[in-house]
Amino acid sequence: IRLSRVFIKLKMRQIVFWCLLSLFALTTFAQVVDPLNSVIIYPSSLNAQNPGFISIIQRTSTGAVVQLQPSTCNTKVPYSLNIINGPGYNVTLNPKGFTCVFNNNVSYTISFYITKSGNYVLDTLYNGSPVSNSTTDLTVVPGSFSAAESTWDGIGLTNALAGEPSPIAITAYDQFSNRIFNCSSVDTSYFEIQLYQASIENSINGVYQNCSNGVFNFYYVVNITGNWFLSASYGGLNINNSFVLVTPGNPIGPNCAVSDPSANITAGELSTFSIVCTDQFGNLVTYCQAEFLNLWFPLISSPNATVSANLTSCDAETGNISWIYNLTVASFYTSNVYFGDPTNSIPQFSQLVNHGPPDEANTQAIGNGVNDTTLNVAGTDFYFALTSADRFGNPIGGCINSTNWFFNFTDRQPTTPPSENPSCYQETILINDYSSTQTGRYPLTILLNGQVINNGVSYNPKVYSAGIVPESVNVTGEGTTNATAGLSAPLYINGLDQFSNQFDNCEQFSDFSQWSIVLTETSNSSNTVNGLVLNCQILDGLSTYIAAYTPYYAGEYSLNIYINQTIVPETYNVTVIPGPLVVMHAQAQGLGFTPTNANVTAGETETFEIVQYDQYDNQIMQCTSNLIWTATFFSTSYNVSYNFTSDESDCDNTTGIYTVTYTIKYPTDYYQIIVSTDYSGPVSIIIPDAIQNKGSIYLLPTNFSAGNSYFAVDQIGSVGQAFNITVFAYDLYNNEYDLGQVLELNFTANLRFQPNNGTHYGYFVYGNYGNQYLAAFVPTIEGNYTVRVDYTRQEQRNVTIRIRSENNTNVAEAFYGNFDPINSYFYGPALTGPTVAGQIGYFMLAVYNEYNFQIPAFTLNADDFTPTLVGNQSTVYTITTNFTAQYYDVVFAFNATIATTYSVSVFYDTGNGVNDQLANDTTVAQVIPGPLVPPTLDVVVGYGPVNAQGNFSVTGQDQWGNYVNLSSLVSAEMNPICAGVEPNCSAGSFPTYGLDCTYDAPYSGTYCIDVQDLKTGAVYSGGNANVSVVGGSACKNNCNSRGYCFNATDDEPSCNCFQGYTGSDCSDKISHDYMNLWLAIGLIVGLSLLLAIIGIAVGCLVGRRS
């Protein structure tokens, strides 16, 4: 309307006006604000007490900056702030805070306040709509320190300990109650901490320490107790005020005043002491709280005991603290009372505690005289000491009056009782002693002032025996009679002491060196063995020394025992036998071992022996059970070995020697011999594979065998050229026979020409060809030849034997041939040595054929042989024939019981009905007596006078009645009634195998006779064979052993001669006539004397009656 009016009025200006109006309209509509494209500029941080500013650049939708007009600052701002996240306070905008910054009219600034510190997330709204990209993070920090808003705390606000730092802490806040964490934002020089007291003119200032997270730490120190006023300010502005109570510090030991207890008391009496203390600044300590009193350690100490005193009272006004304690150990005590730390102790005080009166329960006797476990030796003094103490066990110094003691042995009295007035030793204890020679317990009750000491318990000491004396030693055990080489022989020793007490004191007499045990060989005194006492212990209720010795060599020994070099009277005879077999110590001896490399002929039976030894090379003289020896012969050139065994049946039980019998036939070679056993005896035996020494033999071939030998000949040849014949020689067992070693064999090669029976003889050339002999012949006529080879053996007679050819086409005889009695011969043990009566004797026939070639025995018939054994008493025994014992021999066996010499004859039936006696018919067999049988011992007794030589004779028989040769019975023993007689025996004259013995008897009496074999130790009794010895003194020449010495009463001894002898010494022989005459005269005289005596007796009787 206006424009119209103006247009109307201003007609002239219409065109111009409308142009201007159109331009303005276009300009206005082109600059409309687009809030999505407006730019908001925020502050980086904000202080709570300062305003914040936001700059806004308005843009249109095209991004063009909206030009601002000055009038914009006077209109309402269409923008507002929005808190998306933060502590929760609203943003306060300052409505008058617009500042129009023309700056080319492109922006203006809005101011605002945020008073709560913290982290915020903001954005800007335009007329309530978010401005694009206006979201931002904003940190609001606290403002300046505010004394009114800040706080304090700490124990120093109300209480303080004199001399100790008291802490205070001030927490910083700004005026909006924002907590200030940045210590550097507060100037600590504005802080002021002060304490005041009415009676103190000067104040005490606090001391700044440090700050952490806005907490400022201070402390102050006050040395004077009482109430104090405390204030804190910042820049003159008061922060807070309080009243502080300052209490005393810890007591200082040297500053304590002590009331001492009594200097001398008796054990068990109560004592007290009290103290008053100040701290280091002189403030009186008046604490009575439990936690304070518990820091006191009131100790009263001596070298023997430490006692803690008990609190009795504490005065909070005066600070006086009292304790009580009880000392029961007598000693000199000093105090050790301290507070908290031993170095903070109060001044010491001293106190002497004396022992109380003697107490019987605490009075004791000590020493070996009252100890029930002490080894008191009989005959020695047993001491004991008497000590006493009060009821607390404090020793009482000085000796108690001896008149108050009483010693009572309730069971038995010692030999020397204790003194009624014990001696006092160094004025501290009483010493007493007693002794006894008899072992056992001695119960003892000791009384003091009429009361039994030791709590009423009696003492029970024991007296043990003294050491064993030599004359009472008793030794038992296997070692007193027997021992085994290499094994320990036990001895058990006990006895009596010098008081005849049975020894019971191993512990006291445990010095085994006082004992010496010596074993001495009887035949060699330089061979001794020392034993040892090993220990002493109770055996069968007796204290016994256990000893042992270990001998190493078998034999007879004497055993002696010494105590402290004094010999025990009894000597023990000990027999030491060899120990168990140790295989590695065994020795083989005989052919192949001594010497080695012995020559043995194939097929012949040989033997060697094995001697047993123990570990110490003692020969074992008996057979070992379950022992089997194996002798292995190893061929060195062939993979051949032979085993031969020897067991207990091959052992001589008197010598312990085993015999190994072996026969090897093939092949001839050098053999090594190893003897081994699988013996599993005692575990102590070392068992190797074989004994140490090894043997060796060289097996030679036996007799040449034509049957096993053969020859070969060239089959084709030319006239005038030599044809070779080779003989391959072997023995009976196909061993190669070295013909060069046996020159008694003569070979002949015969060549028979078939057309004219002409014979050509070849010749043999001896050479080193082993078992091959060479012959050669030169044929002169063309044709076929028959070749035959013979050999001649020159022994008992010339025998020509044909050798078979290689293809057996020209064998003239059978292989074995025929038995030839003349070529055969006898041999064997019964023909070369004696056979014991009652034992089997045997001999063999070696069987040969007519060519003197040994052939097997089984080709013969046993019924064709008739053997006989004829003795010198026409005694004939049957002989059995056996073909199985030897392959090439006929074995003949017999059992003869009469000892004599026998002739051996064997007849052979040749098939013509006539028995031909074989060769060697003059052969004899010797049968000797068997072992002596004691019941057949025959003693021909004699008699004689005392001190005169008497005689007797001894004979014995075996079980078959044969007189036994007693030459080995080298001694006879006479066991008399009253004394010993050792006779002298020699080989007797009749019978042949008897003994003639003489003796000298010093005493009259009857002597029984035993005969002992000193070689074997066997004793043979003579049964009722006695020798009577009569008379007293010796007669002249001992009656020349032709009478006995007779000693009548009051007469000189005279000889009573045996029949046929006369004279004073029986030296004269008388004839039979005179002897008969004297016998008649003696009878007449004797009869006359007898009649006279009878007449006198009758006359006396008649006279008495009358």
Side-chain angles (χ1 to χ4, degrees):
I1 295 173
R2 230 166 143 186
L3 292 176
S4 298
R5 289 178 181 174
V6 172
F7 186 70
I8 293 173
K9 291 181 178 180
L10 299 176
K11 291 180 179 184
M12 293 299 293
R13 297 178 183 174
Q14 289 182 351
I15 296 172
V16 175
F17 174 78
W18 284 108
C19 289
L20 292 174
L21 182 60
S22 297
L23 180 62
F24 171 76
L26 290 174
T27 302
T28 300
F29 288 111
Q31 290 185 333
V32 175
V33 175
D34 185 354
L36 296 178
N37 290 330
S38 298
V39 177
I40 311 299
I41 299 174
Y42 296 98
S44 59
S45 62
L46 180 63
N47 190 299
Q49 64 186 23
N50 296 325
F53 298 94
I54 299 174
S55 296
I56 301 173
I57 300 175
Q58 298 183 101
R59 293 180 183 275
T60 64
S61 59
T62 60
V65 177
V66 177
Q67 295 295 321
L68 296 180
Q69 299 298 323
S71 61
T72 302
C73 294
N74 297 322
T75 61
K76 183 179 181 181
V77 178
Y79 291 92
S80 64
L81 286 179
N82 177 42
I83 297 176
I84 299 175
N85 189 13
Y89 288 83
N90 292 328
V91 178
T92 301
L93 297 178
N94 184 356
K96 296 181 179 181
F98 297 114
T99 303
C100 291
V101 179
F102 291 100
N103 192 18
N104 297 325
N105 297 327
V106 296
S107 66
Y108 57 89
T109 299
I110 302 175
S111 63
F112 63 93
Y113 287 91
I114 299 178
T115 60
K116 183 61 177 178
S117 62
N119 295 319
Y120 291 85
V121 178
L122 307 176
D123 65 353
T124 302
L125 303 180
Y126 179 80
N127 289 328
S129 298
V131 177
S132 178
N133 299 321
S134 65
T135 302
T136 187
D137 295 326
L138 180 64
T139 299
V140 178
V141 299
S144 300
F145 179 85
S146 172
E149 296 296 328
S150 296
T151 61
W152 69 350
D153 59 7
I155 60 174
L157 300 180
T158 56
N159 295 281
L161 190 65
E164 296 294 330
S166 298
I168 298 174
I170 297 176
T171 303
Y173 290 89
D174 64 4
Q175 60 181 330
F176 302 108
S177 299
N178 293 311
R179 172 74 183 277
I180 300 174
F181 293 95
N182 186 5
C183 294
S184 61
S185 64
V186 179
D187 188 353
T188 58
S189 62
Y190 289 98
F191 285 107
E192 186 176 18
I193 308 297
Q194 287 186 322
L195 284 92
Y196 302 93
Q197 192 178 34
S199 60
I200 303 299
E201 296 181 357
N202 297 325
S203 62
I204 296 175
N205 295 322
V207 178
Y208 170 73
Q209 280 185 298
N210 53 50
C211 175
S212 176
N213 292 328
V215 177
F216 296 85
N217 296 306
F218 302 86
Y219 73 90
Y220 61 87
V221 179
V222 180
N223 297 331
I224 301 174
T225 59
N227 290 315
W228 290 74
F229 180 76
L230 173 66
S231 67
S233 62
Y234 184 82
L237 299 177
N238 185 54
I239 297 175
N240 215 330
N241 303 304
S242 68
F243 287 97
V244 178
L245 175 62
V246 179
T247 57
N250 291 330
I252 301 302
N255 295 344
C256 296
V258 184
S259 58
D260 295 346
S262 301
N264 290 281
I265 63 172
T266 301
E269 292 185 10
L270 295 176
S271 296
T272 61
F273 71 94
S274 59
I275 59 174
V276 176
C277 299
T278 62
D279 63 10
Q280 59 179 334
F281 304 106
N283 300 309
L284 181 66
V285 179
T286 58
Y287 299 128
C288 287
Q289 293 87 346
E291 57 272 16
F292 170 76
L293 297 176
N294 289 338
L295 294 177
W296 282 101
F297 295 90
L299 302 177
I300 314 299
S301 302
S302 72
N304 302 321
T306 298
V307 176
S308 178
N310 296 316
L311 180 70
T312 58
S313 63
C314 180
D315 190 334
E317 293 184 1
T318 62
N320 185 77
I321 304 174
S322 299
W323 282 277
I324 189 171
Y325 56 94
N326 185 10
L327 301 178
T328 59
V329 178
S331 183
F332 184 80
Y333 290 83
T334 57
S335 65
N336 184 21
V337 182
Y338 62 90
F339 180 83
D341 189 306
T343 59
N344 187 24
S345 59
I346 69 172
Q348 287 185 336
F349 58 85
S350 301
Q351 194 171 32
L352 177 63
V353 178
N354 300 308
H355 63 76
D359 181 71
E360 291 79 6
N362 287 331
T363 300
Q364 294 185 354
I366 57 175
N368 62 341
V370 293
N371 194 330
D372 60 352
T373 60
T374 301
L375 301 174
N376 300 317
V377 179
T380 60
D381 291 333
F382 315 139
Y383 289 89
F384 62 92
L386 301 168
T387 62
S388 185
D390 61 13
R391 64 190 180 95
F392 301 108
N394 297 304
I396 297 177
C399 295
I400 304 173
N401 191 339
S402 61
T403 59
N404 296 328
W405 295 98
F406 180 72
F407 307 100
N408 180 28
F409 288 91
T410 59
D411 189 10
R412 60 168 77 179
Q413 295 298 318
T415 306
T416 303
S419 173
E420 294 182 356
N421 297 307
S423 59
C424 185
Y425 177 72
Q426 295 182 352
E427 298 184 356
T428 56
I429 58 176
L430 292 176
I431 300 296
N432 213 336
D433 67 297
Y434 64 94
S435 65
S436 181
T437 60
Q438 299 301 313
T439 59
R441 293 285 181 183
Y442 286 79
L444 171 62
T445 301
I446 302 176
L447 292 85
L448 173 63
N449 298 323
Q451 299 295 323
V452 178
I453 68 172
N454 194 30
N455 290 317
V457 179
S458 297
Y459 299 96
N460 195 24
K462 183 178 180 180
V463 176
Y464 293 83
S465 68
I468 299 175
V469 293
E471 57 269 18
S472 69
V473 169
N474 178 35
V475 184
T476 59
E478 183 181 357
T480 59
T481 57
N482 297 287
T484 300
L487 300 181
S488 179
L491 299 172
Y492 306 99
I493 305 173
N494 53 43
L496 306 177
D497 66 4
Q498 59 185 345
F499 306 109
S500 299
N501 297 307
Q502 179 64 48
F503 179 67
D504 63 351
N505 199 350
C506 284
E507 293 83 353
Q508 191 76 12
F509 296 92
S510 59
D511 181 11
F512 301 151
S513 63
Q514 65 178 327
W515 292 92
S516 297
I517 299 172
V518 181
L519 188 72
T520 305
E521 188 173 8
T522 304
S523 61
N524 182 12
S525 60
S526 63
N527 180 21
T528 60
V529 177
N530 294 322
L532 292 174
V533 174
L534 304 176
N535 56 56
C536 185
Q537 62 186 44
I538 304 299
L539 291 180
D540 297 330
L542 298 178
S543 294
T544 303
Y545 289 100
I546 299 177
Y549 62 87
T550 304
Y552 298 100
Y553 302 103
E556 297 297 327
Y557 291 80
S558 60
L559 175 65
N560 292 105
I561 298 176
Y562 300 81
I563 304 179
N564 294 322
Q565 300 182 351
T566 301
I567 191 170
V568 172
E570 185 173 0
T571 297
Y572 302 90
N573 296 321
V574 179
T575 299
V576 178
I577 62 174
L581 168 66
V582 176
V583 177
M584 68 180 297
H585 284 246
Q587 291 288 323
Q589 61 187 24
L591 191 64
F593 291 89
T594 50
T596 57
N597 301 329
N599 290 331
V600 174
T601 302
E604 291 188 2
T605 299
E606 302 292 350
T607 62
F608 66 85
E609 296 176 337
I610 301 174
V611 184
Q612 303 179 93
Y613 293 95
D614 65 7
Q615 183 178 358
Y616 305 100
D617 293 328
N618 297 302
Q619 183 176 351
I620 300 173
M621 305 295 290
Q622 62 183 11
C623 301
T624 302
S625 300
N626 302 320
L627 174 62
I628 299 176
W629 295 99
T630 300
T632 304
F633 291 71
F634 294 94
S635 171
T636 58
S637 302
Y638 306 97
N639 186 21
V640 176
S641 63
Y642 298 98
N643 290 328
F644 301 92
T645 60
S646 177
D647 57 20
E648 199 168 352
S649 64
D650 303 310
C651 177
D652 184 348
N653 205 36
T654 61
T655 62
I657 296 177
Y658 286 78
T659 300
V660 179
T661 303
Y662 64 93
T663 302
I664 301 177
K665 300 177 181 179
Y666 178 86
T668 55
D669 193 18
Y670 179 80
Y671 288 82
Q672 284 190 340
I673 310 172
I674 297 178
V675 180
S676 62
T677 179
D678 58 355
Y679 176 63
S680 57
V683 295
S684 62
I685 298 177
I686 303 172
I687 308 175
D689 293 334
I691 63 178
Q692 284 186 329
N693 65 322
K694 297 177 174 60
S696 58
I697 63 170
Y698 193 87
L699 187 66
L700 299 176
T702 185
N703 297 331
F704 171 76
S705 171
N708 289 338
S709 301
Y710 63 92
F711 70 90
V713 64
D714 293 343
Q715 299 296 315
I716 301 175
S718 302
V719 174
Q721 293 182 352
F723 278 65
N724 293 322
I725 302 173
T726 304
V727 177
F728 298 90
Y730 293 88
D731 70 356
L732 299 175
Y733 307 109
N734 283 323
N735 295 305
E736 293 182 355
Y737 192 87
D738 189 356
L739 296 175
Q741 303 297 325
V742 187
L743 301 181
E744 71 272 14
L745 298 180
N746 297 320
F747 289 87
T748 302
N750 296 303
L751 295 90
R752 187 180 299 275
F753 183 56
Q754 288 181 348
N756 57 9
N757 293 326
T759 300
H760 298 263
Y761 294 94
Y763 59 91
F764 282 87
V765 180
Y766 285 102
N768 189 14
Y769 302 108
N771 72 322
Q772 299 178 18
Y773 268 19
L774 298 180
F777 69 93
V778 179
T780 59
I781 300 174
E782 183 178 351
N784 294 322
Y785 290 83
T786 299
V787 178
R788 190 178 83 176
V789 176
D790 300 327
Y791 86 95
T792 302
R793 179 174 182 178
Q794 297 176 347
E795 254 183 5
Q796 297 167 346
R797 61 184 179 176
N798 290 334
V799 178
T800 300
I801 301 177
R802 189 174 299 168
I803 300 177
R804 64 186 173 89
S805 64
E806 187 176 13
N807 52 13
N808 290 327
T809 58
N810 294 317
V811 176
E813 294 84 20
F815 181 74
Y816 293 120
N818 298 316
F819 168 63
D820 187 343
I822 302 302
N823 288 338
S824 301
Y825 61 90
F826 293 119
Y827 72 99
L831 306 181
T832 59
T835 300
V836 178
Q839 297 185 6
I840 301 298
Y842 63 93
F843 59 94
M844 286 77 73
L845 175 66
V847 182
Y848 284 81
N849 63 11
E850 69 271 27
Y851 301 109
N852 214 13
F853 165 59
Q854 193 171 6
I855 62 176
F858 59 73
T859 61
L860 306 179
N861 188 350
D863 296 335
D864 293 336
F865 291 92
T866 306
T868 60
L869 191 71
V870 180
N872 55 8
Q873 300 176 3
S874 299
T875 304
V876 179
Y877 286 96
T878 301
I879 300 178
T880 60
T881 306
N882 186 353
F883 289 99
T884 60
Q886 295 290 336
Y887 185 80
Y888 287 95
D889 296 333
V890 179
V891 179
F892 302 97
F894 62 89
N895 186 353
T897 60
I898 297 178
T900 187
T901 300
Y902 292 86
S903 62
V904 179
S905 298
V906 179
F907 293 87
Y908 177 71
D909 186 358
T910 60
N912 56 6
V914 178
N915 288 336
D916 293 334
Q917 188 171 355
L918 299 181
N920 306 82
D921 59 334
T922 60
T923 301
V924 295
Q926 181 71 35
V927 177
I928 62 174
L932 177 67
V933 179
T936 67
L937 184 67
D938 186 15
V939 179
V940 180
V941 302
Y943 60 93
V946 173
N947 293 329
Q949 190 178 71
N951 60 79
F952 62 91
S953 60
V954 181
T955 59
Q957 298 174 336
D958 63 7
Q959 69 180 99
W960 313 107
N962 301 302
Y963 281 103
V964 179
N965 187 347
L966 301 182
S967 61
S968 65
L969 303 178
V970 297
S971 176
E973 294 182 348
M974 296 176 63
N975 299 321
I977 296 174
C978 55
V981 177
E982 184 67 31
N984 180 26
C985 298
S986 60
S989 59
F990 179 81
T992 303
Y993 295 108
L995 289 176
D996 283 346
C997 303
T998 62
Y999 63 89
D1000 289 330
Y1003 303 102
S1004 62
T1006 301
Y1007 294 78
C1008 58
I1009 300 174
D1010 293 333
V1011 179
Q1012 182 181 25
D1013 186 343
L1014 293 186
K1015 184 176 182 181
T1016 63
V1019 177
Y1020 303 96
S1021 174
N1024 295 325
N1026 300 318
V1027 172
S1028 298
V1029 177
V1030 298
S1033 302
C1035 292
K1036 181 181 179 181
N1037 296 329
N1038 291 327
C1039 299
N1040 288 308
S1041 300
R1042 297 174 178 176
Y1044 62 90
C1045 190
F1046 179 77
N1047 188 10
T1049 307
D1050 299 330
D1051 290 337
E1052 289 298 327
S1054 61
C1055 291
N1056 286 338
C1057 299
F1058 299 145
Q1059 184 177 359
Y1061 298 95
T1062 186
S1064 61
D1065 58 355
C1066 301
S1067 60
D1068 300 328
K1069 230 178 196 185
I1070 60 176
S1071 65
H1072 292 288
D1073 294 339
Y1074 284 106
M1075 191 162 45
N1076 293 335
L1077 176 62
W1078 283 108
L1079 180 59
I1081 293 173
L1083 290 175
I1084 294 172
V1085 173
L1087 181 60
S1088 298
L1089 290 175
L1090 178 61
L1091 292 176
I1093 292 172
I1094 293 174
I1096 294 172
V1098 172
C1100 289
L1101 290 174
V1102 173
R1104 292 188 64 182
R1105 286 193 177 183
S1106 64

